Amino acid sequence: MQNYKSAATIHASEILITSPSIQQLMKKTKILLIGAGGQLGAELTQGLWKIYGQQNVIASDIKDAQGILKEGPYEKFDVMQRDKLFELLKRNEITQVYHLAALLSATGEKDPRWAWKLNMESLLFVLEAAHELKLHKVYWPSSIAAFGPTTPKQNTPQDTIMDPATVYGITKLAGELWCEYYFRRYGVDVRSLRYPGLIGWKTPPGGGTTDYAVDIYFKALKEKKYECFLSPDTYLPMMYMDDAVKATIDLMEAPAEKVKVRTSYNISAMSFCPAQIAATIKKHLPDFTITYQPDFRQSIADSWPKSIDDTAARKDWGWQHQFGLEEMTTDILKNLNSV
Ligand code: SER
């Protein structure tokens, strides 16, 4: 009786997600990853290849396939072409979309109107497609940029003041609410993480405020010096790419009932400032020197959290990070030295 009663209180959209139709269960996973040419996209594509098989993951980007992406299925396509998106999804019988294409924080400030259009419209196209074509799951990244100057800066909670100061952040906050709307209203199983700064060594970064923490490794090895566009004590939440790929796949693989936050999850691994990353690099490369020349990106960084409370992600679906600053630095320098 107890069970019967609680089942009756479940919202219709939850039934849709937790009880996929037999047809859905039988249909095998076929993924489209949009924005595969970006910093996260290339590595996430490879992570998905390992789970679902290369032939079941179609990478796409507005640019031609680069590097490792040439090895798998690839579609060159502009996400602003709604019809092409629908056609691609139908033709390939796609069941999941990872939509990573976006203008980042620093680039977005150079053309706010375009950043709004690209980031927002492309998300809406994907959500509309997910609803109309009954996709099983959608992944869309949010960011620490969704927070703003009056957000508590230390251990920023999951639910708190959100007053983004960049157009990129505004698109992330609005996008989070659209994701929740599509989940509540149509039962679209869309999942999201608020990434901190992501640091990888395989693909160059593209227009972010946290990108200094990527460039610094390349310059340290090549030139033994780096001029940083943020001040030495600018703390920001950061994550190594391996952890970001793991977090994304862990969230997407979690049973739907464990995904309780339908805007976007806080997610965290480490927090450091330019002076700290420089000191860590110096342990490996004693001749390395850093100078500081803060530019417009300083005020963007100053509007963001310094550290993130990701208790909800750890509790709901078991998030655990692996890399701190020391481990990440050792790993990156080792890999860059051998390429
Ligand atoms: N890393 C991004 C940026 O700096 C934030 O999500 O724009």
Side-chain angles (χ1 to χ4, degrees), residues 130-190:
H131 171 46
E132 283 174 38
L133 305 179
K134 301 192 174 22
L135 301 185
H136 299 180
K137 284 181 207 171
V138 172
Y139 179 78
W140 176 80
S142 184
S143 156
I144 52 166
F147 297 113
T150 69
T151 302
K153 295 230 178 288
Q154 299 289 355
N155 277 325
T156 302
Q158 174 68 46
D159 298 307
T160 185
I161 300 165
M162 300 182 83
D163 58 345
T166 58
V167 66
Y168 172 69
I170 296 171
T171 65
K172 290 301 180 191
L173 178 54
E176 286 189 13
L177 296 171
W178 273 116
C179 289
E180 191 178 45
Y181 178 85
Y182 266 77
F183 170 73
R184 287 222 179 114
R185 174 137 189 214
Y186 303 116
V188 172
D189 189 356
V190 47

Short mmCIF file of all heavy atoms in Angstrom, two decimals, residues 130-190:
data_model
loop_
_atom_site.label_atom_id
_atom_site.label_comp_id
_atom_site.label_asym_id
_atom_site.label_seq_id
_atom_site.Cartn_x
_atom_site.Cartn_y
_atom_site.Cartn_z
N ALA A 130 15.44 17.37 -28.91
CA ALA A 130 15.35 16.29 -27.91
C ALA A 130 13.89 15.98 -27.62
O ALA A 130 13.50 14.81 -27.48
CB ALA A 130 16.08 16.70 -26.64
N HIS A 131 13.09 17.00 -27.52
CA HIS A 131 11.66 16.84 -27.24
C HIS A 131 10.94 16.22 -28.43
O HIS A 131 10.27 15.18 -28.31
CB HIS A 131 11.09 18.21 -26.88
CG HIS A 131 9.61 18.24 -26.78
ND1 HIS A 131 8.88 17.28 -26.10
CD2 HIS A 131 8.69 19.12 -27.27
CE1 HIS A 131 7.59 17.57 -26.19
NE2 HIS A 131 7.45 18.66 -26.90
N GLU A 132 11.14 16.83 -29.60
CA GLU A 132 10.38 16.38 -30.78
C GLU A 132 10.82 15.00 -31.26
O GLU A 132 9.99 14.19 -31.67
CB GLU A 132 10.54 17.38 -31.92
CG GLU A 132 9.68 18.61 -31.72
CD GLU A 132 9.93 19.69 -32.76
OE1 GLU A 132 10.14 19.35 -33.94
OE2 GLU A 132 9.91 20.88 -32.39
N LEU A 133 12.09 14.73 -31.20
CA LEU A 133 12.59 13.44 -31.72
C LEU A 133 12.75 12.40 -30.61
O LEU A 133 13.27 11.31 -30.86
CB LEU A 133 13.93 13.64 -32.44
CG LEU A 133 13.95 14.68 -33.57
CD1 LEU A 133 15.34 14.79 -34.18
CD2 LEU A 133 12.94 14.34 -34.66
N LYS A 134 12.33 12.77 -29.41
CA LYS A 134 12.37 11.84 -28.26
C LYS A 134 13.76 11.24 -28.02
O LYS A 134 13.93 10.03 -27.91
CB LYS A 134 11.34 10.71 -28.44
CG LYS A 134 9.92 11.23 -28.57
CD LYS A 134 8.91 10.12 -28.46
CE LYS A 134 7.48 10.59 -28.44
NZ LYS A 134 7.16 11.89 -29.00
N LEU A 135 14.75 12.12 -27.98
CA LEU A 135 16.10 11.65 -27.66
C LEU A 135 16.10 11.14 -26.22
O LEU A 135 15.33 11.60 -25.39
CB LEU A 135 17.11 12.79 -27.79
CG LEU A 135 17.23 13.47 -29.16
CD1 LEU A 135 18.37 14.49 -29.14
CD2 LEU A 135 17.46 12.47 -30.27
N HIS A 136 17.00 10.22 -25.92
CA HIS A 136 17.04 9.66 -24.57
C HIS A 136 17.66 10.62 -23.57
O HIS A 136 17.18 10.74 -22.44
CB HIS A 136 17.84 8.36 -24.55
CG HIS A 136 17.25 7.29 -25.41
ND1 HIS A 136 17.81 6.05 -25.53
CD2 HIS A 136 16.15 7.28 -26.21
CE1 HIS A 136 17.08 5.32 -26.35
NE2 HIS A 136 16.09 6.04 -26.79
N LYS A 137 18.76 11.27 -23.98
CA LYS A 137 19.47 12.15 -23.04
C LYS A 137 20.17 13.27 -23.79
O LYS A 137 20.60 13.10 -24.93
CB LYS A 137 20.58 11.39 -22.30
CG LYS A 137 20.11 10.46 -21.21
CD LYS A 137 21.31 9.81 -20.56
CE LYS A 137 20.94 8.46 -19.99
NZ LYS A 137 22.09 7.70 -19.55
N VAL A 138 20.31 14.40 -23.06
CA VAL A 138 21.08 15.53 -23.59
C VAL A 138 22.06 15.98 -22.51
O VAL A 138 21.73 16.01 -21.33
CB VAL A 138 20.15 16.72 -23.94
CG1 VAL A 138 20.95 17.97 -24.31
CG2 VAL A 138 19.20 16.35 -25.07
N TYR A 139 23.29 16.32 -22.96
CA TYR A 139 24.23 16.93 -22.04
C TYR A 139 24.55 18.34 -22.53
O TYR A 139 24.82 18.55 -23.71
CB TYR A 139 25.55 16.13 -21.95
CG TYR A 139 26.49 16.82 -21.00
CD1 TYR A 139 26.32 16.69 -19.63
CD2 TYR A 139 27.49 17.66 -21.47
CE1 TYR A 139 27.12 17.40 -18.74
CE2 TYR A 139 28.30 18.36 -20.59
CZ TYR A 139 28.10 18.22 -19.23
OH TYR A 139 28.88 18.92 -18.35
N TRP A 140 24.55 19.27 -21.58
CA TRP A 140 24.89 20.66 -21.91
C TRP A 140 25.68 21.25 -20.74
O TRP A 140 25.27 21.15 -19.59
CB TRP A 140 23.61 21.47 -22.13
CG TRP A 140 23.85 22.93 -22.37
CD1 TRP A 140 24.23 23.52 -23.53
CD2 TRP A 140 23.74 23.99 -21.41
NE1 TRP A 140 24.35 24.88 -23.36
CE2 TRP A 140 24.05 25.19 -22.06
CE3 TRP A 140 23.38 24.05 -20.06
CZ2 TRP A 140 24.05 26.42 -21.43
CZ3 TRP A 140 23.37 25.27 -19.41
CH2 TRP A 140 23.71 26.45 -20.09
N PRO A 141 26.84 21.84 -21.02
CA PRO A 141 27.66 22.36 -19.92
C PRO A 141 27.27 23.76 -19.48
O PRO A 141 27.08 24.65 -20.30
CB PRO A 141 29.07 22.40 -20.54
CG PRO A 141 28.85 22.56 -22.00
CD PRO A 141 27.49 21.99 -22.33
N SER A 142 27.19 23.94 -18.16
CA SER A 142 27.14 25.29 -17.61
C SER A 142 28.53 25.58 -17.05
O SER A 142 29.50 24.87 -17.37
CB SER A 142 26.06 25.41 -16.54
OG SER A 142 25.99 26.76 -16.09
N SER A 143 28.65 26.60 -16.23
CA SER A 143 29.99 27.07 -15.84
C SER A 143 29.91 27.86 -14.54
O SER A 143 28.84 28.39 -14.19
CB SER A 143 30.51 27.96 -16.97
OG SER A 143 31.49 28.85 -16.51
N ILE A 144 31.08 28.00 -13.89
CA ILE A 144 31.16 28.91 -12.74
C ILE A 144 30.82 30.34 -13.15
O ILE A 144 30.53 31.17 -12.29
CB ILE A 144 32.58 28.90 -12.11
CG1 ILE A 144 33.65 29.14 -13.20
CG2 ILE A 144 32.82 27.60 -11.37
CD1 ILE A 144 35.02 29.49 -12.64
N ALA A 145 30.84 30.61 -14.46
CA ALA A 145 30.50 31.95 -14.95
C ALA A 145 29.03 32.29 -14.73
O ALA A 145 28.64 33.45 -14.87
CB ALA A 145 30.84 32.06 -16.44
N ALA A 146 28.22 31.29 -14.39
CA ALA A 146 26.81 31.57 -14.10
C ALA A 146 26.66 32.30 -12.77
O ALA A 146 25.61 32.86 -12.46
CB ALA A 146 26.00 30.27 -14.09
N PHE A 147 27.73 32.29 -11.96
CA PHE A 147 27.71 33.06 -10.71
C PHE A 147 28.22 34.48 -11.00
O PHE A 147 28.76 34.74 -12.08
CB PHE A 147 28.61 32.38 -9.66
CG PHE A 147 28.12 31.00 -9.29
CD1 PHE A 147 28.87 29.87 -9.62
CD2 PHE A 147 26.92 30.83 -8.61
CE1 PHE A 147 28.43 28.60 -9.28
CE2 PHE A 147 26.48 29.56 -8.27
CZ PHE A 147 27.24 28.44 -8.61
N GLY A 148 28.08 35.36 -10.00
CA GLY A 148 28.48 36.75 -10.25
C GLY A 148 29.06 37.44 -9.04
O GLY A 148 29.33 36.80 -8.01
N PRO A 149 29.23 38.76 -9.14
CA PRO A 149 29.96 39.51 -8.11
C PRO A 149 29.39 39.38 -6.69
O PRO A 149 30.14 39.45 -5.73
CB PRO A 149 29.85 40.97 -8.57
CG PRO A 149 29.47 40.91 -10.00
CD PRO A 149 28.81 39.61 -10.25
N THR A 150 28.09 39.21 -6.54
CA THR A 150 27.56 39.14 -5.17
C THR A 150 27.31 37.71 -4.70
O THR A 150 26.78 37.47 -3.62
CB THR A 150 26.27 39.98 -4.99
OG1 THR A 150 25.22 39.36 -5.74
CG2 THR A 150 26.47 41.41 -5.47
N THR A 151 27.69 36.74 -5.52
CA THR A 151 27.63 35.33 -5.10
C THR A 151 28.68 35.11 -4.01
O THR A 151 29.79 35.64 -4.13
CB THR A 151 28.00 34.42 -6.30
OG1 THR A 151 27.11 34.68 -7.38
CG2 THR A 151 27.95 32.95 -5.92
N PRO A 152 28.38 34.34 -2.94
CA PRO A 152 29.43 34.02 -1.97
C PRO A 152 30.62 33.37 -2.67
O PRO A 152 30.44 32.43 -3.44
CB PRO A 152 28.74 33.03 -1.02
CG PRO A 152 27.28 33.24 -1.22
CD PRO A 152 27.10 33.74 -2.62
N LYS A 153 31.82 33.88 -2.40
CA LYS A 153 32.99 33.47 -3.20
C LYS A 153 33.66 32.18 -2.75
O LYS A 153 34.28 31.49 -3.54
CB LYS A 153 34.03 34.58 -3.21
CG LYS A 153 33.55 35.84 -3.90
CD LYS A 153 34.57 36.32 -4.91
CE LYS A 153 34.11 37.54 -5.65
NZ LYS A 153 33.04 37.28 -6.63
N GLN A 154 33.61 31.93 -1.43
CA GLN A 154 34.29 30.73 -0.92
C GLN A 154 33.27 29.60 -0.80
O GLN A 154 32.19 29.81 -0.25
CB GLN A 154 34.90 30.99 0.47
CG GLN A 154 35.95 32.09 0.49
CD GLN A 154 37.25 31.69 -0.20
OE1 GLN A 154 37.42 30.54 -0.63
NE2 GLN A 154 38.17 32.63 -0.32
N ASN A 155 33.63 28.44 -1.25
CA ASN A 155 32.73 27.29 -1.18
C ASN A 155 31.34 27.65 -1.68
O ASN A 155 30.35 27.38 -1.01
CB ASN A 155 32.63 26.76 0.25
CG ASN A 155 33.79 25.85 0.53
OD1 ASN A 155 34.24 25.13 -0.36
ND2 ASN A 155 34.29 25.92 1.74
N THR A 156 31.27 28.24 -2.81
CA THR A 156 30.00 28.68 -3.39
C THR A 156 28.98 27.54 -3.39
O THR A 156 29.23 26.47 -3.96
CB THR A 156 30.24 29.17 -4.84
OG1 THR A 156 31.19 30.23 -4.78
CG2 THR A 156 28.96 29.67 -5.48
N PRO A 157 27.84 27.74 -2.71
CA PRO A 157 26.86 26.65 -2.61
C PRO A 157 26.16 26.34 -3.94
O PRO A 157 26.19 27.14 -4.86
CB PRO A 157 25.82 27.19 -1.61
CG PRO A 157 26.39 28.43 -1.03
CD PRO A 157 27.40 28.95 -2.00
N GLN A 158 25.54 25.17 -3.97
CA GLN A 158 24.75 24.77 -5.14
C GLN A 158 23.64 25.80 -5.43
O GLN A 158 23.45 26.22 -6.56
CB GLN A 158 24.13 23.39 -4.88
CG GLN A 158 23.18 22.89 -5.94
CD GLN A 158 23.88 22.57 -7.27
OE1 GLN A 158 24.93 21.94 -7.31
NE2 GLN A 158 23.29 23.01 -8.37
N ASP A 159 22.92 26.16 -4.38
CA ASP A 159 21.82 27.11 -4.55
C ASP A 159 22.20 28.41 -3.87
O ASP A 159 22.32 28.45 -2.64
CB ASP A 159 20.54 26.56 -3.93
CG ASP A 159 20.11 25.29 -4.63
OD1 ASP A 159 19.98 25.31 -5.87
OD2 ASP A 159 19.93 24.27 -3.94
N THR A 160 22.37 29.45 -4.65
CA THR A 160 22.82 30.73 -4.07
C THR A 160 22.49 31.86 -5.03
O THR A 160 21.83 31.65 -6.06
CB THR A 160 24.33 30.65 -3.77
OG1 THR A 160 24.73 31.84 -3.10
CG2 THR A 160 25.18 30.48 -5.02
N ILE A 161 22.99 33.05 -4.71
CA ILE A 161 22.77 34.20 -5.61
C ILE A 161 23.49 33.95 -6.93
O ILE A 161 24.65 33.53 -6.94
CB ILE A 161 23.37 35.48 -4.98
CG1 ILE A 161 22.71 35.77 -3.64
CG2 ILE A 161 23.26 36.67 -5.94
CD1 ILE A 161 23.47 36.79 -2.81
N MET A 162 22.80 34.21 -8.03
CA MET A 162 23.43 34.08 -9.34
C MET A 162 23.18 35.38 -10.11
O MET A 162 22.05 35.66 -10.50
CB MET A 162 22.87 32.87 -10.09
CG MET A 162 23.14 31.59 -9.32
SD MET A 162 22.56 30.10 -10.13
CE MET A 162 23.91 29.75 -11.23
N ASP A 163 24.24 36.16 -10.27
CA ASP A 163 24.11 37.44 -10.97
C ASP A 163 25.28 37.62 -11.93
O ASP A 163 26.13 38.50 -11.75
CB ASP A 163 24.04 38.60 -9.96
CG ASP A 163 25.27 38.66 -9.05
OD1 ASP A 163 26.02 37.66 -9.01
OD2 ASP A 163 25.49 39.70 -8.41
N PRO A 164 25.36 36.77 -12.96
CA PRO A 164 26.52 36.78 -13.85
C PRO A 164 26.79 38.16 -14.46
O PRO A 164 25.86 38.87 -14.81
CB PRO A 164 26.14 35.77 -14.94
CG PRO A 164 24.67 35.60 -14.85
CD PRO A 164 24.32 35.84 -13.42
N ALA A 165 28.08 38.46 -14.60
CA ALA A 165 28.47 39.77 -15.10
C ALA A 165 28.99 39.73 -16.53
O ALA A 165 29.34 40.76 -17.09
CB ALA A 165 29.54 40.36 -14.18
N THR A 166 29.08 38.53 -17.13
CA THR A 166 29.50 38.43 -18.53
C THR A 166 28.32 37.91 -19.35
O THR A 166 27.44 37.22 -18.81
CB THR A 166 30.65 37.42 -18.70
OG1 THR A 166 30.21 36.14 -18.22
CG2 THR A 166 31.89 37.85 -17.94
N VAL A 167 28.36 38.18 -20.65
CA VAL A 167 27.27 37.66 -21.49
C VAL A 167 27.33 36.13 -21.51
O VAL A 167 26.29 35.45 -21.52
CB VAL A 167 27.30 38.27 -22.91
CG1 VAL A 167 28.52 37.83 -23.68
CG2 VAL A 167 26.03 37.89 -23.67
N TYR A 168 28.54 35.59 -21.46
CA TYR A 168 28.69 34.13 -21.39
C TYR A 168 27.97 33.59 -20.16
O TYR A 168 27.20 32.62 -20.23
CB TYR A 168 30.19 33.81 -21.35
CG TYR A 168 30.56 32.38 -21.09
CD1 TYR A 168 30.32 31.39 -22.02
CD2 TYR A 168 31.19 32.01 -19.89
CE1 TYR A 168 30.69 30.08 -21.79
CE2 TYR A 168 31.56 30.70 -19.66
CZ TYR A 168 31.31 29.74 -20.61
OH TYR A 168 31.67 28.44 -20.37
N GLY A 169 28.21 34.23 -19.01
CA GLY A 169 27.56 33.80 -17.77
C GLY A 169 26.04 33.94 -17.84
O GLY A 169 25.31 33.09 -17.33
N ILE A 170 25.59 35.00 -18.48
CA ILE A 170 24.13 35.19 -18.62
C ILE A 170 23.54 34.04 -19.45
O ILE A 170 22.50 33.49 -19.11
CB ILE A 170 23.82 36.56 -19.26
CG1 ILE A 170 24.28 37.70 -18.33
CG2 ILE A 170 22.33 36.70 -19.55
CD1 ILE A 170 24.20 39.09 -18.96
N THR A 171 24.24 33.64 -20.52
CA THR A 171 23.72 32.53 -21.33
C THR A 171 23.74 31.22 -20.53
O THR A 171 22.89 30.37 -20.72
CB THR A 171 24.50 32.32 -22.65
OG1 THR A 171 25.85 31.92 -22.39
CG2 THR A 171 24.50 33.56 -23.51
N LYS A 172 24.72 31.09 -19.64
CA LYS A 172 24.78 29.85 -18.84
C LYS A 172 23.64 29.81 -17.83
O LYS A 172 22.99 28.77 -17.65
CB LYS A 172 26.14 29.72 -18.15
CG LYS A 172 27.29 29.43 -19.11
CD LYS A 172 27.06 28.13 -19.89
CE LYS A 172 28.17 27.79 -20.86
NZ LYS A 172 27.83 26.70 -21.76
N LEU A 173 23.39 30.92 -17.18
CA LEU A 173 22.29 30.94 -16.20
C LEU A 173 20.94 30.72 -16.90
O LEU A 173 20.13 29.89 -16.47
CB LEU A 173 22.30 32.27 -15.43
CG LEU A 173 21.17 32.46 -14.41
CD1 LEU A 173 21.12 31.32 -13.41
CD2 LEU A 173 21.34 33.79 -13.67
N ALA A 174 20.71 31.44 -18.00
CA ALA A 174 19.46 31.27 -18.73
C ALA A 174 19.35 29.84 -19.26
O ALA A 174 18.29 29.21 -19.20
CB ALA A 174 19.39 32.27 -19.89
N GLY A 175 20.47 29.32 -19.75
CA GLY A 175 20.49 27.96 -20.29
C GLY A 175 20.14 26.92 -19.23
O GLY A 175 19.39 25.97 -19.49
N GLU A 176 20.66 27.10 -18.03
CA GLU A 176 20.33 26.18 -16.94
C GLU A 176 18.82 26.14 -16.71
O GLU A 176 18.23 25.08 -16.50
CB GLU A 176 20.99 26.64 -15.64
CG GLU A 176 22.48 26.39 -15.57
CD GLU A 176 23.04 26.66 -14.17
OE1 GLU A 176 22.26 26.80 -13.21
OE2 GLU A 176 24.28 26.73 -14.05
N LEU A 177 18.21 27.33 -16.75
CA LEU A 177 16.76 27.40 -16.50
C LEU A 177 15.98 26.77 -17.66
O LEU A 177 14.96 26.12 -17.45
CB LEU A 177 16.34 28.85 -16.25
CG LEU A 177 16.96 29.45 -14.99
CD1 LEU A 177 16.69 30.95 -14.90
CD2 LEU A 177 16.43 28.75 -13.73
N TRP A 178 16.48 26.94 -18.88
CA TRP A 178 15.83 26.28 -20.03
C TRP A 178 15.92 24.76 -19.89
O TRP A 178 14.97 24.04 -20.21
CB TRP A 178 16.48 26.72 -21.34
CG TRP A 178 15.91 27.97 -21.93
CD1 TRP A 178 16.53 29.15 -22.11
CD2 TRP A 178 14.57 28.14 -22.43
NE1 TRP A 178 15.68 30.06 -22.69
CE2 TRP A 178 14.46 29.48 -22.89
CE3 TRP A 178 13.44 27.31 -22.52
CZ2 TRP A 178 13.30 30.00 -23.45
CZ3 TRP A 178 12.27 27.83 -23.07
CH2 TRP A 178 12.20 29.14 -23.52
N CYS A 179 17.07 24.28 -19.44
CA CYS A 179 17.22 22.82 -19.28
C CYS A 179 16.19 22.31 -18.27
O CYS A 179 15.49 21.32 -18.52
CB CYS A 179 18.63 22.48 -18.79
SG CYS A 179 19.88 22.73 -20.07
N GLU A 180 16.09 23.01 -17.15
CA GLU A 180 15.13 22.58 -16.13
C GLU A 180 13.69 22.66 -16.66
O GLU A 180 12.86 21.80 -16.39
CB GLU A 180 15.28 23.44 -14.87
CG GLU A 180 14.51 22.86 -13.69
CD GLU A 180 14.69 23.68 -12.44
OE1 GLU A 180 14.61 24.92 -12.50
OE2 GLU A 180 14.90 23.07 -11.37
N TYR A 181 13.43 23.68 -17.44
CA TYR A 181 12.10 23.85 -18.02
C TYR A 181 11.75 22.67 -18.94
O TYR A 181 10.66 22.10 -18.86
CB TYR A 181 12.08 25.16 -18.82
CG TYR A 181 10.78 25.47 -19.51
CD1 TYR A 181 9.75 26.12 -18.84
CD2 TYR A 181 10.58 25.13 -20.85
CE1 TYR A 181 8.55 26.40 -19.49
CE2 TYR A 181 9.40 25.41 -21.51
CZ TYR A 181 8.38 26.05 -20.82
OH TYR A 181 7.21 26.33 -21.46
N TYR A 182 12.69 22.30 -19.80
CA TYR A 182 12.43 21.18 -20.70
C TYR A 182 12.29 19.86 -19.95
O TYR A 182 11.54 18.98 -20.36
CB TYR A 182 13.50 21.09 -21.80
CG TYR A 182 13.07 21.83 -23.03
CD1 TYR A 182 13.13 23.21 -23.09
CD2 TYR A 182 12.54 21.15 -24.13
CE1 TYR A 182 12.68 23.91 -24.21
CE2 TYR A 182 12.09 21.83 -25.25
CZ TYR A 182 12.16 23.21 -25.29
OH TYR A 182 11.71 23.88 -26.39
N PHE A 183 12.99 19.73 -18.86
CA PHE A 183 12.85 18.52 -18.03
C PHE A 183 11.47 18.48 -17.40
O PHE A 183 10.75 17.48 -17.48
CB PHE A 183 13.93 18.51 -16.94
CG PHE A 183 13.70 17.44 -15.91
CD1 PHE A 183 13.91 16.10 -16.22
CD2 PHE A 183 13.26 17.77 -14.63
CE1 PHE A 183 13.68 15.11 -15.27
CE2 PHE A 183 13.02 16.78 -13.68
CZ PHE A 183 13.24 15.45 -14.00
N ARG A 184 11.08 19.60 -16.75
CA ARG A 184 9.80 19.64 -16.03
C ARG A 184 8.61 19.55 -16.98
O ARG A 184 7.67 18.84 -16.74
CB ARG A 184 9.69 20.96 -15.26
CG ARG A 184 10.57 21.02 -14.05
CD ARG A 184 9.81 21.66 -12.89
NE ARG A 184 10.63 21.71 -11.71
CZ ARG A 184 11.06 22.84 -11.17
NH1 ARG A 184 10.71 24.00 -11.70
NH2 ARG A 184 11.79 22.80 -10.09
N ARG A 185 8.70 20.33 -18.05
CA ARG A 185 7.53 20.44 -18.92
C ARG A 185 7.40 19.26 -19.88
O ARG A 185 6.30 18.78 -20.13
CB ARG A 185 7.62 21.77 -19.69
CG ARG A 185 6.53 21.90 -20.71
CD ARG A 185 5.88 23.24 -20.77
NE ARG A 185 4.73 23.14 -21.64
CZ ARG A 185 4.30 24.09 -22.43
NH1 ARG A 185 4.92 25.26 -22.42
NH2 ARG A 185 3.25 23.91 -23.20
N TYR A 186 8.51 18.79 -20.42
CA TYR A 186 8.44 17.76 -21.47
C TYR A 186 9.11 16.46 -21.08
O TYR A 186 9.14 15.52 -21.88
CB TYR A 186 9.08 18.27 -22.76
CG TYR A 186 8.48 19.55 -23.29
CD1 TYR A 186 9.25 20.71 -23.35
CD2 TYR A 186 7.16 19.61 -23.73
CE1 TYR A 186 8.71 21.89 -23.85
CE2 TYR A 186 6.62 20.78 -24.22
CZ TYR A 186 7.39 21.92 -24.28
OH TYR A 186 6.86 23.09 -24.77
N GLY A 187 9.73 16.41 -19.91
CA GLY A 187 10.40 15.18 -19.51
C GLY A 187 11.69 14.92 -20.27
O GLY A 187 12.18 13.79 -20.30
N VAL A 188 12.28 15.96 -20.87
CA VAL A 188 13.57 15.76 -21.56
C VAL A 188 14.65 15.50 -20.51
O VAL A 188 14.81 16.29 -19.58
CB VAL A 188 13.94 17.00 -22.42
CG1 VAL A 188 15.35 16.88 -22.97
CG2 VAL A 188 12.94 17.18 -23.55
N ASP A 189 15.37 14.42 -20.65
CA ASP A 189 16.40 14.05 -19.67
C ASP A 189 17.69 14.80 -19.99
O ASP A 189 18.63 14.25 -20.54
CB ASP A 189 16.62 12.53 -19.68
CG ASP A 189 17.51 12.09 -18.53
OD1 ASP A 189 18.00 12.95 -17.77
OD2 ASP A 189 17.71 10.87 -18.38
N VAL A 190 17.70 16.07 -19.63
CA VAL A 190 18.88 16.89 -19.91
C VAL A 190 19.67 17.08 -18.62
O VAL A 190 19.09 17.31 -17.56
CB VAL A 190 18.49 18.23 -20.59
CG1 VAL A 190 17.36 18.93 -19.92
CG2 VAL A 190 19.68 19.17 -20.73
#
